[in-house]
Amino acid sequence: MLGFLSAGILVLLLAGIPVAVTLFLLAFGVDQFFSFFPLTKALGQNLWSAADSFLLIAIPLFVLMGEIIVRAGIAEKAYRAMDHWLSWLPGGLIHANITTAALFSATSGSSVATAATISTVALPQGEKLDYDPRLFCGSIAAGGTLGILIPPSINLIVYGFLTETSIPKLFMAGLVPGLGLSLLFMAVALVLCLWKPSLGGPRSVASWNARLRSLAFLAPLLILFAVIVGSIYLGWATPTEAAAVGVIVSLGLAAAHRRLDRQMLMAALDGTVKTTSMLLFIILAASFLNFALTSSGLVQKLTTLLNTHDLSPYGLLLAVIALFIVLGFFIETLSLMVITIPIVTPLIAAAGFDKVWFGVVMILFVEMALITPPVGLNLYIVQASRRGKPFSDVIVGTLPFIAAMLLMAVLLVIFPSIALWLPSLL
């Protein structure tokens, strides 16, 4: 069955079949060739049960919130503020790329939206100041990945939905590793720019008056983060309710910036409908594939196979991590999650690992898949803003940040409390 799934995924995706259709076709294939029962008779009930979830309402709300923030110009102003505060460091604008991405991640929940926004704002400035294009583009692509680790994260919602894991705990678990990873990214940029100052472009020191005035540009993102994560952490709202409040606050912020009009709102709603339709179609397809794989006994067969090879818990974890790294080269991130979650998570849980902790580790390697060719989506998002310059610049520029991600993965394995400390307080 594993051979059928592996070959089917590669052939269908390489043929350009949409991800959701691919998942449905794989589920029908499992039903046809590996199941003793007609699983398709349960298709309607399965899809209805998957769609009839209050939790899924959070996805379009978080997407809409990110759309409003982007179109209100709030991210652009936040970037200018971080430039004022960090321009004195070696590689000042590179640090601004990473910190602005971290801030924007805390409101958009989307890596693609984060990378696209920072690219549009930062690349013209980096070219004007003669920053090294490789490191500069790499910092934007890598910083954009923070959008699926720092809460609120759409990918963490998908993981929690498919594994029946607490979303508030997952959000709390992603916060410290997400902020720690952003600091590691900055450390990488600092070391490289100290080693070779020409990589970082010219340094400048903004006046304290300019810095203090620029804090007003950071306030909107900090307010949104406090409203969303704070309400969840204090138990005042569920993730879905917090997302709804976040949309209301983002509309108020857009109005305060005098960017809220009918045209902007319609564009934000249009983008939300397109993104949400894609995500929910994939989630429904993944739900039926999960049902088919479970009903056909694949998880039990894999457990038996691994027990036969007598892998230790950490040996199993290492094998799963290697699987994510390899698949991340070829499979788009959301597809990677929904294809592997039903197979891998039960095995990891049976080996004694915490599902909340593993969710963060999994997201970390999904992040890595966003910046590894040939299908790393953030690479193409950044390249699209560069008007025909070499694509190799973006790829090479991400390599130091991939090393930082691997270091964070090692730290999470050695010190699980990095991810589990905040959830334990809930």
Side-chain angles (χ1 to χ4, degrees):
M1 191 189 304
L2 281 176
F4 168 81
L5 289 171
S6 302
I9 289 168
L10 289 175
V11 170
L12 292 173
L13 290 179
L14 289 174
I17 305 297
V19 173
V21 176
T22 295
L23 297 179
F24 272 123
L25 290 176
L26 289 174
F28 295 150
V30 170
D31 172 46
Q32 184 70 30
F33 299 111
F34 301 101
S35 175
F36 296 105
F37 309 100
L39 301 179
T40 52
K41 292 186 179 296
L43 177 62
Q45 180 62 38
N46 180 270
L47 296 185
W48 175 259
S49 299
D52 187 25
S53 172
F54 180 69
L55 178 63
L56 291 180
I57 301 174
I59 293 178
L61 291 174
F62 279 129
V63 173
L64 177 58
M65 187 175 60
E67 290 277 348
I68 293 170
I69 290 299
V70 169
R71 298 176 191 280
I74 292 173
E76 181 178 353
K77 293 179 179 178
Y79 183 80
R80 291 208 301 268
M82 297 312 303
D83 180 26
H84 285 321
W85 281 94
L86 299 172
S87 57
W88 62 275
L89 286 170
L93 278 185
I94 296 173
H95 301 297
N97 294 343
I98 296 166
T99 52
T100 308
L103 282 172
F104 190 72
S105 298
T107 59
S108 73
S110 167
S111 288
V112 173
T114 301
T117 302
I118 305 303
S119 295
T120 303
V121 174
L123 282 174
Q125 191 76 357
E127 292 175 5
K128 184 172 72 174
L129 296 177
D130 199 29
Y131 275 75
D132 177 73
R134 294 180 176 180
L135 187 60
F136 197 81
C137 292
S139 70
I140 297 173
T145 66
L146 297 170
I148 62 173
L149 185 56
I150 297 176
S153 163
I154 293 172
N155 290 63
L156 281 175
I157 293 175
V158 172
Y159 175 85
F161 174 76
L162 293 177
T163 61
E164 299 182 353
T165 306
S166 167
I167 302 298
K169 286 188 176 182
L170 285 169
F171 278 4
M172 292 300 102
L175 183 56
V176 174
L179 296 177
L181 187 59
S182 63
L183 291 176
L184 281 178
F185 285 168
M186 293 178 68
V188 165
L190 182 64
V191 169
L192 289 174
C193 292
L194 285 172
W195 169 64
K196 192 173 181 181
S198 61
L199 296 175
R203 296 164 63 180
S204 61
V205 180
S207 68
W208 277 104
N209 187 35
R211 291 181 185 180
L212 294 174
R213 285 203 311 269
S214 71
L215 289 177
F217 297 150
L218 298 177
L221 295 180
L222 296 176
I223 290 171
L224 264 179
F225 180 78
V227 167
I228 296 168
V229 178
S231 62
I232 295 172
Y233 181 75
L234 294 173
W236 294 349
T238 65
T240 302
E241 293 164 345
V245 174
V247 170
I248 295 172
V249 174
S250 66
L251 287 170
L253 293 171
H257 284 74
R258 299 181 180 179
R259 299 291 290 272
L260 182 61
D261 54 33
R262 184 178 181 278
Q263 182 179 0
M264 187 275 271
L265 190 57
M266 292 304 294
L269 290 170
D270 181 64
T272 300
V273 169
K274 291 178 180 177
T275 302
T276 303
S277 299
M278 176 194 70
L279 290 173
L280 292 183
F281 193 22
I282 291 174
I283 289 171
L284 292 178
S287 175
F288 186 63
L289 178 60
N290 291 356
F291 170 74
L293 293 178
T294 303
S295 301
S296 62
L298 176 61
V299 174
Q300 292 84 346
K301 292 175 183 177
L302 281 176
T303 303
T304 303
L305 179 64
L306 291 172
N307 289 337
T308 302
H309 286 78
D310 199 25
L311 283 178
S312 68
Y314 283 98
L316 171 64
L317 179 64
L318 187 61
V320 168
I321 288 174
L323 175 69
F324 279 127
I325 292 175
V326 173
L327 292 181
F329 286 108
F330 306 105
I331 302 178
E332 184 270 332
T333 52
L334 188 60
S335 311
L336 175 61
M337 287 184 61
V338 297
I339 289 168
T340 56
I341 281 174
I343 300 172
V344 167
T345 307
L347 301 178
I348 289 293
F353 293 104
D354 189 282
K355 286 201 295 183
V356 172
W357 171 84
F358 179 67
V360 174
V361 173
M362 181 182 198
I363 291 295
L364 185 62
F365 285 98
V366 170
E367 280 187 318
M368 192 182 300
L370 281 166
I371 54 174
T372 51
V375 295
L377 191 55
N378 278 19
L379 300 176
Y380 295 98
I381 294 294
V382 174
Q383 179 63 18
S385 301
R386 300 187 70 230
R387 301 184 184 89
K389 294 184 175 62
F391 186 40
S392 58
D393 288 349
V394 188
I395 296 174
V396 173
T398 60
L399 296 179
F401 301 102
I402 290 174
M405 288 179 170
L406 292 172
L407 175 58
M408 176 54 71
V410 171
L411 292 175
L412 282 169
V413 172
I414 297 175
F415 306 107
S417 59
I418 295 174
L420 295 178
W421 173 63
L422 279 180
S424 70
L425 301 178
L426 286 177

